[in-house]
Amino acid sequence: MSDHSVVVIGAGMGGLAAAIDLATAGCRVTVVEKAATPGGKMRQLHPGGGPGIDSGPTVFTMRWVFESLFADAGASLSDYVTLGTADVLARHGWTDGSRLDLFAGMERSIAAIGEFAGKADAEGYRAFCARSQAMYAVLRDSFISAQRPGLFDMAPRVGLAGLPALLATAPHKTLWAELGRYFRDPRLRQLFGRYATYTGSSPFAAPATLMLIAHVEKEGVWFVEGGMVNVARGMESLAGSLGVTFRYGEGVQAILQTGGRASGVRMESGEMHKADAVVFNGDISALRGGLIDGNRPLGPAPVVSRKRSLSAVTWSVAARTRGFPLSHHSVLFSENYRDEFRQVFGNQSICERPTVYVCAQDRYGGRSPSGETERLLLLVNAPAIGDRASFDPARVEEVRRRAWAVLEGCGLSVEPVGEATIATTPDDFEQLFPASGGALYGRSNHGLMGSFQRPGPESGLEGLYLAGGGVHPGPGIPMATLSGRLAARRLLEKARGVSSGWRLPQTALRTAGSGAVFQTT
Ligand SMILES: Cc1cc2nc3c(=O)[nH]c(=O)nc-3n(C[C@H](O)[C@H](O)[C@H](O)COP(=O)(O)OP(=O)(O)OC[C@H]3O[C@@H](n4cnc5c(N)ncnc54)[C@H](O)[C@@H]3O)c2cc1C
């Protein structure tokens, strides 16, 4: 494939993964990224010019996705990225003063839940774990690792014997309703319902299938030494060693087409870069929004604003903290979870008392902050209206006040030091990730069909492939990475004229746990 040239637009997880697989297969790959660094949403900010604070993803799961990506390129993840295991998966607090830790070991979590909510809910948790594990097992191979399956394509994949398990993933029920079968304590329903937000969705509208995220976390949450951005840097470094060229600091203005297929890109400077194929890692709504050159609108349908996933308001801050003993990941819950999602998805606003996620970045692996201050990322859910509304300083301050009131209610005082706070709002996210409206996870997963409406790797324009959190199998850093691999695989299949049966080289079919990483379609 050395005569095959590919431009990858965007150095997010999906773009980096696609670049690695394509270079491994022998393609000449150039990654063009409008930001100055790789990672996309995985980025660090430096409030007050101080040390970097991870200001995007902070929860690293599904380590096997990255291990197999590196292994298939003939490398080892551990040579590029140092990971440590989290003992406490997350600490949860409520305004009534109650607290609950979830642990990496299930029995410890069962004991903690027993103390927190009683024996019945502890047993409920055991049953919930079994169910979420079964869901993950059936969906990993039939959905997550497969080229965009439709609802009805999945039945043949699991076979007759697998059908009951497939039905048990309950895509027709809401996560919230199903959680009621396992937990009587509303706080536990809230805690496990929050997993819907990992796909930018509401637990009151997302399918019960998202229970599988609980299993993914139970399988392991890792710390990344030096910060999450080291994952992106490690992927960039591996890609570089495979001959991938990176160009930063200038965006692509248009995807060129010749004879009905993508033929390269035009940079903002007007410079043309010809290629045999293009992988697009930006938000899919940008494509029909004018990014594809030509008169006829091409590409997947943009995500209409009411179907967008959650956005967020985040604060990256060096602060003094008191009270609530923060863990690396802490979630401080408000009292009215339903109202929170009603406001975001219904009224497109932020509720009076939002739940706050806090990542205390100096607390991990037995370490605690060395001085008086510590590095925090705080996050509240927000509507993806960044293309229509701007969060002026007064509005941001109002949201901050509401978030800090919930923190105080849970016993945590956060006192920013000096001016060292950077707030990022939906309109900032829209600027960073054009055409997204600030939605951080593509479209929401609401309803029976929500998960099946993300496009697959093919864009509708020959030679143009899609990768990223807005594409199948969905958002989150492991999923976006898988989407990049699926895009590379489809591109290579097409370039080689084989539409089925061809598999990625080496270890792509290695098993991770009980099933194959990739399946042929
Ligand atoms: C605050 C926050 C917290 C999160 N928390 C978690 C978490 O804890 N765990 C988890 O797994 N996931 C989390 N996520 C989600 C996760 O970060 C994303 O799903 C994933 O990183 C998306 O990767 P991607 O491949 O879609 O690329 P993106 O990160 O979206 O990057 C796309 C890149 O394309 C570039 N680009 C776009 N258009 C152009 C153009 N025209 N020319 C050149 N370049 C262009 C952009 O600059 C960007 O760098 C979080 C996200 C955010 C924002």
Side-chain angles (χ1 to χ4, degrees), residues 454-514:
R454 294 173 192 274
E458 291 191 62
S459 67
L461 173 64
E462 269 310 299
L464 174 63
Y465 298 87
L466 309 174
V471 175
H472 173 78
I477 56 171
M479 297 296 190
T481 299
L482 284 175
S483 81
R485 304 203 71 186
L486 291 169
R489 190 176 70 149
R490 196 71 192 125
L491 187 160
L492 292 167
E493 282 175 350
K494 286 279 202 132
R496 290 173 168 164
V498 259
S499 60
S500 68
W502 188 83
R503 293 173 178 216
L504 280 168
Q506 300 177 47
T507 57
L509 285 167
R510 272 166 15 119
T511 53
S514 60

Side-chain angles (χ1 to χ4, degrees), residues 321-337:
T321 63
R322 272 182 295 112
F324 187 96
L326 287 168
S327 182
H328 188 76
H329 304 290
S330 302
V331 186
L332 303 179
F333 283 106
S334 66
E335 303 81 8
N336 190 344
Y337 215 36

Side-chain angles (χ1 to χ4, degrees), residues 247 250-251 253 266-271:
R247 285 184 57 170
E250 191 186 352
Q253 190 186 58
R266 184 172 65 242
M267 305 298 294
E268 281 163 354
S269 62
E271 181 193 334

Side-chain angles (χ1 to χ4, degrees), residues 16 20 38 70 80-81 229-240:
L16 289 168
I20 289 168
F70 277 69
Y80 291 81
V81 182
V229 285
N230 278 348
V231 175
R233 289 179 187 142
M235 288 166 77
E236 181 205 41
S237 170
L238 171 63

Side-chain angles (χ1 to χ4, degrees), residues 9-15 32-35 39-41 55-59 250-252 280-282 291 314 379 429 432-434 440-441 468-469 475-478 480:
I9 305 171
M13 291 291 102
V32 286
E33 166 57 62
K34 69 184 181 61
K41 295 184 176 80
S55 299
T58 51
V59 183
E250 191 186 352
V252 164
F280 181 62
N281 181 216
L291 199 63
T314 66
L379 179 152
F429 284 121
L432 289 164
F433 310 110
L440 301 176
Y441 314 87
I477 56 171

Side-chain angles (χ1 to χ4, degrees), residues 8 31 63 87 91 140 157 167 214 226 238 241 267 350 393 456:
V8 176
V31 178
R63 175 185 177 149
D87 180 32
R91 179 158 295 160
R140 185 183 53 200
R157 284 171 201 275
L167 286 175
L238 171 63
S241 72
M267 305 298 294
I350 299 174

